[in-house]
Amino acid sequence: MRVLKKGNGWRIGTNPAASEFKGLLGTDDWAVELTEAELKDFCHLLTQLANTMQQMASELMDEEKIACEAESSLMWMEVEGLPHDYNLRFILHSGRCVEGKWDAVAVKELIQAASTIEVF
């Protein structure tokens, strides 16, 4: 069973029946397939970064920007911007040398979709 969720400037999906690359991330312009472990890490790190940005909102002045990073053995991720409006970047540490980015307009919906997608 394939699941693909998408919105304005983002998409995330799973295909549990795939042999190696069971996940998909992308925008309207690019996409990359991920292993099961990479997709799990992406969803976990994204939730961690979103929670950090939410917690920082009360610590910062209204227009003060911040950058936060999170990393696992499989990928590095960064959010940058205002605590309620920020961009997201990731770099895979695997041999595929993949880097991706979402603009702030897409990040809130991507976070919501990543938290509801079933990651095996």
Side-chain angles (χ1 to χ4, degrees):
M1 171 176 80
R2 293 182 185 184
V3 175
L4 179 64
K5 297 183 179 194
K6 57 185 177 175
N8 184 19
W10 64 271
R11 54 188 160 151
I12 185 170
T14 62
N15 182 2
S19 60
E20 182 177 0
F21 297 108
K22 298 177 184 262
L24 178 119
L25 290 176
T27 69
D28 298 331
D29 300 321
W30 61 268
V32 62
E33 292 180 319
L34 301 178
T35 65
E36 180 178 343
E38 290 166 345
L39 183 60
K40 283 182 181 180
D41 271 14
F42 176 84
C43 292
H44 173 74
L45 294 174
L46 181 58
T47 300
Q48 187 178 18
L49 287 168
N51 289 340
T52 299
M53 291 300 272
Q54 188 175 23
Q55 292 167 3
M56 292 303 297
S58 64
E59 305 292 325
L60 302 172
M61 295 174 61
D62 288 346
E63 296 302 314
E64 192 174 0
K65 293 184 178 183
I66 187 171
C68 294
E69 299 178 7
E71 190 169 9
S72 72
S73 61
L74 299 175
M75 73 177 56
W76 169 88
M77 292 175 66
E78 176 189 58
V79 291
E80 183 177 17
L82 300 170
H84 61 278
D85 191 37
Y86 48 88
N87 297 327
L88 169 66
R89 289 188 330 134
F90 80 98
I91 298 173
L92 287 181
H93 292 314
S94 68
R96 293 186 315 237
C97 301
V98 174
E99 181 173 350
K101 179 184 181 207
W102 293 268
D103 293 327
V105 68
V107 173
K108 283 184 184 180
E109 289 182 8
L110 178 62
I111 290 168
Q112 188 175 26
S115 71
T116 63
I117 202 160
E118 187 173 323
V119 184
F120 329 104

